[in-house]
Amino acid sequence: MKKYQTHIILTIIFCMMAFAAHARRMSPRDAFSDSVMCLVFKYAQSVDTTGRAEHKSYAYTKFQIKTNKRNATLMLVPTMYAVAHGGGRRFISEYYNQMTLDANGRPVAKRLLNISTIPHRRNTLSSVLKYMTPTVYGETLFETNILSPFHYKNRRYYKYAVTQLPFGKAQVYVYPRLKNTQVIEARAIVDSKTGKISMVDFEGEYDMTRFYISIIMGKDGFGSLSPARCSMRANFSFMGNKITGMYTTVYGLPKILSDSLNNVADTALMAKVRPIELNQDEADIYKKFYEKRNQITDSLNNHIPEKNFAKDILWDVIGDNVLNRISQGFGKQNQGYFRISPILNPLYMGYSERKGIVYKFDLKGGYRFTENLELGLRFKGGYSMKQHRFYFNIPLTFNYNQKHNGYLKLEIGNGNRISNNRVARKMLGISKPEDNDFLNPLFSEYPGLSLPEISTDIDANNRKLTEFKDDYLRLTNHWSFNDYVGFEVGLVSHQRKAVVESFYKLFKNPSKYVSVAPAVALELLPWGKKGSIFKIDYEKGWKNLLGSNIDYERVEADAQTIFQASRRQSYSIRLGAGFYTRKGDHWDFVDYTNFHDDNIPGGWNDSWSGEFELLPSQWYNASDYYVRGNFTYEAPMIATAWLPLIGKYIEAERLYVSSLVVNHLHPYTEWGYGVTTRAITLGFFAAFKNTKYNGIGCRFGFELFRDW
């Protein structure tokens, strides 16, 4: 009873303060305000979290979705297809989850029960569900999004107004210093002597969703760092579609059911664990849903249903598969799975200066035989509109030792076309390495020459004459001795075939070059699997080995790391070098391996770090050596986010600096700036050759609904 009295008193105080408008606009910089905020920032560190990682609890979530307005564009939103064309405009779902914490103290949910009136029990507005597990004292509230105003590192983004209350309490109003989707408004009731937050409200907008969240925090110990109850109203708007979601989650429930349940749809079990009774409105939604379902079942038992082509084929089959991710398990215990990305998915489209508009797709599947033995297959493909090329990569991976990351991988694909100006210059008698105008001497010296494979465009001709298609096969065995040292051994084969074969046949030169090379690599992870790696590769091509006509020996070293200054602020660094210890026959037709590979565990924060955006490949692939460095700085708000009008849409900013030294470039450098919004990531880059300006370019990729 005492617990509820406390909550009632706090609620009354909280509501009274909501009407104190004059207090909301005060920002007194007095000793009391500073003292309270200092305690709030330090509170999480003052709590004994012993045993928190092993703590297991249970949570109940109930939410209602109301479709106020909808049109055909709603189908384009991932996880919303079922609502877009499903019967009715009101839906209800209930979850019962087992809750644990990861190594960083962030909640991890395992769904035990799930009942829903949404067709096929689809996850709907799943990104909004993340808002129901906020980390109030963390640097970010929801995973990597929304800067928490109650973390010390974020204080420069907020203004605070603190008002003293009776009973040793204080009220804190929080206002963002700038308009941005990464910051929020907040109201909180805190203990003025400890800094413990008792109640807090958040109001903000992110990913086209306006949210209002009210939280009652846990009472004692490490439980006081997490919510005891969370309620939210979310308003989603997109191209005329307006959807409202009402959510409630109750945490800290006792264990009632077995943990062996897995996403079971059992209404009787849900009634047993439900801590909040359904109201009449919610009960009516369930009643209408089950009545309709029973009518359909009776109809199916008595009559053979007529096929509705528009609904059964266009909507349910084609539409569902085109606009949504396809995921399916198979086997008695779901040992196998396959997943196909949506065919119409903006996240798989992008643009770069070299490739133009690129569309990609991804298909993957696997089968687990035992705990240690697993077979995985993936097919990644893409098409470049500017280059008119289809790219593909098919890795087949057999994992045979999970503890030591032991796997055997067979990979086939076609890489970027290799350009070799050196051979073309040799055939045409052109001595200057920077002279790429092959056509004029070619047609003047050979006036009767006809090459139908090439167009009349001079620049296009030059590129096509020196380009070779690259098909590769790589067989690798990987083994990690421990978390810090790994080893690879394998075989790499490339077949490079001239795009314009007649050009090389005219001069009695080979139009196809094959390399077969045994390769070994050593991996060093100084801090374990923490995002830093040093890798050294050795590769030796043997002439006449399995049809090879290339002889070479090469060594490359590469170091990559990400330094997280904070959860949203990071420095990405890549350093590398490569050189040939032997240059035999046709070594010109060999690519540096690590120049392209992204080795860092988990990948970079963005797909552009560690790369050169404007660099033509012919500058480095035939050089005796290379030395390179790439640096990226990422933060939520650097410059553009502080600008009026456009700043509110900026979610992250990045600065890029890249440098390369090869035979004829001392150095080549690129400077870049990129921003991420809810819709796209956009980057601008400027190139300099030997300190002289060499042009600019841009690149963009879609971000819309990435987290959905």
Side-chain angles (χ1 to χ4, degrees), residues 170-235:
Q171 179 182 248
V172 178
Y173 281 107
V174 183
Y175 309 98
R177 293 183 180 272
L178 73 166
K179 291 185 177 181
N180 192 274
T181 58
Q182 289 292 318
V183 291
I184 55 170
E185 291 188 21
R187 301 180 298 171
I189 301 295
V190 306
D191 189 313
S192 59
K193 293 184 173 59
T194 64
K196 182 176 88 67
I197 298 173
S198 304
M199 304 174 65
V200 61
D201 286 353
F202 296 123
E203 179 180 342
E205 183 180 358
Y206 186 77
D207 214 0
M208 284 163 289
T209 302
R210 188 77 186 173
F211 57 85
Y212 308 85
I213 302 175
S214 183
I215 300 170
I216 297 176
M217 299 294 289
K219 190 175 180 181
D220 300 312
F222 58 72
S224 65
L225 303 178
S226 305
R229 182 171 178 140
C230 184
S231 302
M232 177 178 64
R233 178 181 177 184
N235 296 324

Side-chain angles (χ1 to χ4, degrees), residues 257-303:
L257 306 177
S258 170
D259 292 342
S260 61
L261 299 174
N262 186 17
N263 217 15
V264 175
D266 192 312
T267 56
L269 290 178
M270 185 65 76
K272 188 176 180 180
V273 302
R274 184 184 293 129
I276 308 171
E277 291 296 322
L278 298 175
N279 59 39
Q280 190 60 49
D281 190 38
E282 295 163 344
D284 288 343
I285 297 175
Y286 272 129
K287 183 180 179 181
K288 292 178 182 178
F289 172 77
Y290 288 116
E291 286 177 352
K292 184 178 180 180
R293 193 174 69 173
N294 291 334
Q295 290 174 2
I296 295 173
T297 302
D298 294 339
S299 177
L300 291 174
N301 291 333
N302 298 322
H303 306 283

Side-chain angles (χ1 to χ4, degrees), residues 508-688:
K508 297 182 172 56
N509 273 280
S511 60
K512 184 172 73 172
Y513 296 87
V514 178
S515 66
V516 179
V520 295
L522 179 67
E523 295 177 345
L524 300 176
L525 292 86
W527 297 277
K529 301 176 182 179
K530 300 282 187 184
S532 300
I533 186 171
F534 174 80
K535 188 174 182 179
I536 184 166
D537 290 81
Y538 171 80
E539 202 173 287
K540 179 173 176 60
W542 295 85
K543 192 175 181 180
N544 299 322
L545 177 62
L546 301 176
S548 172
N549 60 351
I550 298 180
D551 183 19
Y552 70 95
E553 190 178 65
R554 185 184 67 221
V555 178
E556 286 183 85
D558 190 79
Q560 303 179 28
T561 188
I562 299 179
F563 173 66
Q564 297 287 158
S566 66
R567 188 162 180 84
R568 291 295 312 277
Q569 186 178 0
S570 65
Y571 303 87
S572 304
I573 303 171
R574 181 176 187 181
L575 303 172
F579 58 93
Y580 288 90
T581 55
R582 172 174 171 78
K583 296 183 289 185
D585 294 339
H586 311 303
W587 71 275
D588 311 74
F589 290 93
V590 178
D591 266 329
Y592 286 107
T593 301
N594 275 345
F595 200 92
H596 305 282
D597 281 355
D598 177 13
N599 299 311
I600 196 165
W604 302 106
N605 291 339
D606 73 305
S607 59
W608 306 347
S609 294
E611 294 185 3
F612 293 90
E613 297 299 327
L614 307 178
L615 178 66
S617 62
Q618 64 263 25
W619 284 106
Y620 62 83
N621 69 348
S623 175
D624 295 351
Y625 68 92
Y626 76 85
V627 179
R628 57 95 58 81
N630 304 82
F631 173 83
T632 303
Y633 170 67
E634 178 180 319
M637 302 167 197
I638 300 176
T640 309
W642 296 88
L643 297 177
L645 300 178
I646 64 171
K648 64 180 295 185
Y649 303 107
I650 306 301
E651 297 175 359
E653 298 180 73
R654 299 179 187 91
L655 300 176
Y656 302 91
V657 181
S658 300
S659 185
L660 171 71
V661 176
V662 291
N663 283 353
H664 306 293
L665 296 174
H666 303 278
Y668 170 88
T669 56
E670 284 183 6
W671 298 79
Y673 171 77
V675 297
T676 294
T677 70
R678 68 182 65 178
I680 63 170
T681 290
L682 179 64
F684 299 93
F685 300 88
F688 298 84

Side-chain angles (χ1 to χ4, degrees), residues 450-481:
S450 176
L451 299 176
E453 301 96 325
I454 59 178
S455 67
T456 57
D457 181 78
I458 297 294
D459 186 55
N461 274 326
N462 287 339
R463 290 198 300 268
K464 286 186 177 181
L465 286 177
T466 62
E467 281 183 354
F468 283 73
K469 302 175 184 177
D470 182 14
D471 298 317
Y472 64 85
L473 182 149
R474 183 180 291 111
L475 180 63
T476 305
N477 183 71
H478 182 276
W479 182 268
S480 294
F481 298 103

Side-chain angles (χ1 to χ4, degrees), residues 246-415:
M246 303 295 293
Y247 299 76
T248 300
T249 298
V250 180
Y251 295 94
L253 299 176
K255 181 176 181 177
I256 300 176
L257 306 177
S258 170
D259 292 342
S260 61
L261 299 174
N262 186 17
N263 217 15
V264 175
D266 192 312
T267 56
L269 290 178
M270 185 65 76
K272 188 176 180 180
V273 302
R274 184 184 293 129
I276 308 171
E277 291 296 322
L278 298 175
N279 59 39
Q280 190 60 49
D281 190 38
E282 295 163 344
D284 288 343
I285 297 175
Y286 272 129
K287 183 180 179 181
K288 292 178 182 178
F289 172 77
Y290 288 116
E291 286 177 352
K292 184 178 180 180
R293 193 174 69 173
N294 291 334
Q295 290 174 2
I296 295 173
T297 302
D298 294 339
S299 177
L300 291 174
N301 291 333
N302 298 322
H303 306 283
I304 299 174
E306 295 182 3
K307 290 287 186 182
N308 187 324
F309 180 81
K311 181 183 184 303
D312 298 339
I313 305 300
L314 295 182
W315 283 96
D316 292 343
V317 179
I318 298 177
D320 203 9
N321 293 338
V322 168
L323 301 169
N324 288 280
R325 304 176 183 90
I326 303 172
S327 181
Q328 183 65 51
F330 58 90
K332 293 182 178 180
Q333 298 179 339
N334 279 333
Q335 308 96 313
Y337 74 92
F338 68 86
R339 300 187 184 102
I340 305 174
S341 61
I343 298 174
L344 300 179
N345 188 348
L347 297 178
Y348 285 82
M349 297 185 66
Y351 173 86
S352 68
E353 196 71 19
R354 286 183 294 169
K355 295 184 178 181
I357 296 175
V358 177
Y359 179 79
K360 298 178 288 184
F361 62 91
D362 192 2
L363 183 155
K364 56 184 174 183
Y367 191 89
R368 181 177 291 273
F369 301 95
T370 66
E371 190 67 28
N372 264 330
L373 302 180
E374 184 177 5
L375 186 67
L377 178 65
R378 191 169 186 179
F379 182 90
K380 297 186 291 183
Y383 184 78
S384 166
M385 307 292 183
K386 183 176 182 179
Q387 299 173 323
H388 305 289
R389 297 178 199 168
F390 174 72
Y391 297 88
F392 71 92
N393 174 261
I394 307 176
L396 176 66
T397 306
F398 177 66
N399 294 280
Y400 58 86
N401 190 301
Q402 186 176 7
K403 181 180 179 181
H404 291 279
N405 196 20
Y407 61 82
L408 189 67
K409 179 187 287 186
L410 175 64
E411 188 175 0
I412 61 174
N414 63 347

